[in-house]
Amino acid sequence: GIGCSSLCHVHEDAGDFAAFPTYPVVLGFKGDAADVVSFPSPAMLASAPMPAVPGTRTVLDAERYGEMVRPLPPEGASDLVLRSRVVGAHQKPKGVVIQTESELRDCGGELLYRMQAAAFAVGARGLKSAGVVHSQPAAAPDRAPDATVSEVVPVSQALVYRLSGDYNALHIDPDMAMAAGFERPILHGLCSLGYATRHVLDACADGDPSRFKAVRARFSSRSRISTSCDFRRSRRRCLRHSSIRKHFVR
């Protein structure tokens, strides 16, 4: 669902078959379900239930961090354990930011991924701020980027990406999108994250997922479906310290 055509990520019989490095961020949506799930899904509610805040119209991804400690086993794993907890909630002028932390481990307890997330409850009011803030400034360096890649995201991309488990109707139903304050359905933030990470890996590491260390992204603007995306990447010293600037061309 991230526009990837590399055989190592899309063909299960490829000799170097591997999950794309950002894939673990969506594992919490479906859990062990093999069919369509509700939104929020039972797995989401069980892993890190969001506090109910009056006035909430919809919940959007605000920021994500994913760090690979060990790659996911290429043969698959039926006993992965994802543990998440809410670590902070902070009132903002237009809603509430809810911070969570997660760890993904195998059945033997070995740590595979560390993850952080910030969700924005649009319109939420009346919460007393408390807890941790993971958000970090994401200012681009004051110079030209090392690489720029432009790619047109297909109009059907949100329909494909939702099969990963994120069945939020905001990304497909015009009525739900308008109720949340948007003119039309918008692309999943995690889909944009996948696109951006893929371009960094291709530009800096020849597409080799084993060279991925971590990625942090802040979703500061919506992306309309069927949008031309200009991905600007500025490299600092080496791949693991890259910063990504993603600019959407309307």
Side-chain angles (χ1 to χ4, degrees):
I2 58 170
C4 182
S5 59
S6 300
L7 286 182
C8 68
H9 297 306
V10 300
H11 184 28
E12 64 279 4
D13 290 330
D16 55 350
F17 181 66
F20 192 78
T22 58
Y23 178 65
V25 302
V26 302
L27 288 177
F29 287 106
K30 294 190 74 170
D32 57 0
D35 204 344
V36 176
V37 294
S38 58
F39 189 91
S41 67
M44 294 171 65
L45 295 174
S47 62
M50 292 292 176
V53 185
T56 300
R57 298 199 306 271
T58 190
V59 179
L60 303 173
D61 261 312
E63 190 165 330
R64 289 279 184 156
Y65 172 78
E67 177 187 348
M68 183 175 72
V69 179
R70 293 173 54 203
L72 295 181
E75 67 277 4
S78 59
D79 295 320
L80 295 178
V81 178
L82 178 67
R83 290 191 172 92
S84 303
R85 60 175 184 156
V86 176
V87 296
H90 307 275
Q91 182 72 61
K92 302 295 182 180
K94 296 183 179 181
V96 170
V97 175
I98 301 168
Q99 302 271 353
T100 59
E101 296 176 347
S102 304
E103 289 187 344
L104 181 66
R105 297 178 180 268
D106 64 17
C107 60
E110 290 293 330
L111 180 63
L112 302 177
Y113 268 76
R114 296 186 184 95
M115 293 172 281
Q116 300 168 359
F120 186 64
V122 180
R125 287 286 185 274
L127 186 74
K128 182 178 180 180
S129 298
V132 174
V133 177
H134 287 306
S135 298
Q136 297 180 6
D142 186 20
R143 59 179 177 81
D146 295 298
T148 299
V149 179
S150 294
E151 181 173 359
V152 175
V153 179
V155 68
S156 60
Q157 195 61 41
L159 308 183
V160 175
Y161 190 81
R162 69 194 304 265
L163 300 178
S164 66
D166 185 348
Y167 289 101
N168 189 341
L170 169 68
H171 305 295
I172 190 173
D173 187 334
D175 291 337
M176 290 293 292
M178 291 187 67
F182 300 101
E183 296 177 1
R184 67 194 72 172
I186 61 174
L187 190 63
H188 303 71
L190 294 182
C191 181
S192 300
L193 172 63
Y195 267 80
T197 304
R198 174 168 59 83
H199 285 307
V200 171
L201 278 178
D202 288 344
C204 297
D206 298 322
D208 182 357
S210 68
R211 295 176 63 186
F212 174 88
K213 173 60 178 176
V215 63
R216 183 183 297 275
R218 176 177 293 179
F219 308 110
S220 59
S221 177
R222 69 188 185 279
S223 175
R224 296 173 182 170
I225 299 171
S226 189
T227 292
S228 175
C229 296
D230 178 16
F231 298 93
R232 301 179 180 183
R233 178 198 51 79
S234 298
R235 182 171 55 193
R236 301 174 184 171
R237 294 179 289 176
C238 62
L239 179 63
R240 70 173 58 194
H241 296 291
S242 294
S243 64
I244 307 167
R245 181 183 178 188
K246 181 181 62 181
H247 173 64
F248 294 109
V249 182
R250 303 298 181 191

